[in-house]
Amino acid sequence: GENVEQHPSTLSVQEGDSAVIKCTYSDSASNYFPWYKQELGKRPQLIIDIRSNVGEKKDQRIAVTLNKTAKHFSLHITETQPEDSAVYFCAANSGAGSYQLTFGKGTKLSVIP
Amino acid sequence: NAGVMQNPRHLVRRRGQEARLRCSPMKGHSHVYWYRQLPEEGLKFMVYLQKENIIDESGMPKERFSAEFPKEGPSILRIQQVVRGDSAAYFCASSQDRGGWTSGRTYEQYFGPGTRLTVT
């Protein structure tokens, strides 16, 4: 089955700096990679996703890159703000077209004002 | 436009009791997924259901756990004879179609607020 590794587990940045979170996956057939943000005690919310037919996708201050050959994908947050503080989860579907998502263990991001 | 609803939000059960967790998907969504989240862990897939059908229960323990999504009413995750190790947050998610990438379109899985189960 799919295995998703996520690093780092915790990340502290100064407000205004950039944050990068990296994930690797094991199933070369995976073709859908969403990122979720979860604030304390709240539901996970999709912030961006990418499919395997593109290498990069950007939405305002958030971008995701995908390297299919190396089987890794990364989340980039620029100009971080205190409200970006949360736990971020990467995920990969378990095989092409699969509905089942395998999640990483999460990265706790703290943005220091 | 109500999102995914789950109830109760918090549930306390003694060992050996039964826990029933309910999930109402977003309007227009007929696909439901249940995930379990242990403290400091990611979400782990348990089961995928469509109306009146269990499509994939490969992530669900073989014993004590069951799930259903009847024609009318919410999806229910049922845990019989709960043990302390069942303490976790249980999230359901729904999608318009099979979540992920189907026919070139992406159907996001929308998560509910979760039910935090505590077994004493």
Side-chain angles (χ1 to χ4, degrees), chain B residues 8-93:
Chain B
R9 295 291 308 278
H10 300 274
L11 182 62
V12 179
R13 284 287 179 266
R14 290 200 178 100
R15 279 180 295 170
Q17 290 184 320
E18 178 181 288
R20 278 182 178 243
L21 288 62
R22 294 174 184 78
C23 170
S24 297
M26 282 181 69
K27 186 177 180 180
H29 287 191
S30 59
H31 300 251
V32 167
Y33 316 80
W34 284 93
Y35 293 86
R36 178 163 63 177
Q37 185 176 38
L38 294 170
E40 310 298 322
E41 295 278 327
L43 296 130
K44 293 206 182 300
F45 170 82
M46 298 180 74
V47 61
Y48 163 44
L49 310 104
Q50 293 180 30
K51 286 283 188 181
E52 301 185 278
N53 282 305
I54 297 174
I55 306 302
D56 182 352
E57 56 184 348
S58 60
M60 202 152 66
K62 296 279 189 287
E63 298 179 353
R64 303 187 298 108
F65 285 72
S66 62
E68 62 177 10
F69 189 14
K71 187 177 180 181
E72 300 291 337
S75 174
I76 295 176
L77 179 67
R78 182 182 177 205
I79 311 172
Q80 295 178 291
Q81 299 175 334
V82 296
V83 300
R84 288 218 172 109
D86 296 332
S87 296
Y90 292 83
F91 289 92
C92 81

Side-chain angles (χ1 to χ4, degrees), chain A residues 58-70:
Chain A
K58 191 173 181 181
D59 183 3
Q60 299 182 351
R61 296 187 296 109
I62 294 172
V64 58
T65 59
L66 171 66
N67 183 326
K68 286 191 295 181
T69 303

Side-chain angles (χ1 to χ4, degrees), chain A residues 31-32 36 38 40-46 49 51-53 89 93 96-106, chain B residues 4 9 33 35 37 40-43 45 48 55-56 58 91 98-101 104-106 108-109 111-113 116:
Chain A
N31 61 2
Y32 174 62
Y36 284 83
Q38 185 178 28
L40 188 63
K42 296 193 176 180
R43 73 187 75 196
Q45 291 193 298
L46 181 77
D49 57 14
R51 292 181 287 177
S52 59
N53 60 344
F89 293 98
N93 67 335
S98 170
Y99 46 81
Q100 182 176 336
L101 294 178
T102 299
F103 283 81
K105 291 192 174 183
Chain B
V4 179
R9 295 291 308 278
Y33 316 80
Y35 293 86
Q37 185 176 38
E40 310 298 322
E41 295 278 327
L43 296 130
F45 170 82
Y48 163 44
I55 306 302
D56 182 352
S58 60
F91 289 92
R98 286 166 50 137
W101 185 13
R105 299 177 65 179
T106 301
E108 175 184 347
Q109 291 187 25
F111 280 82
R116 279 151 185 83

Side-chain angles (χ1 to χ4, degrees), chain A residues 10-39:
Chain A
T10 58
L11 179 60
S12 291
V13 299
Q14 290 292 132
E15 183 177 357
D17 288 350
S18 295
V20 181
I21 302 170
K22 298 181 179 181
C23 288
T24 61
Y25 61 98
S26 60
D27 188 346
S28 57
S30 295
N31 61 2
Y32 174 62
F33 307 92
W35 285 86
Y36 284 83
K37 175 184 179 182
Q38 185 178 28
E39 296 177 16

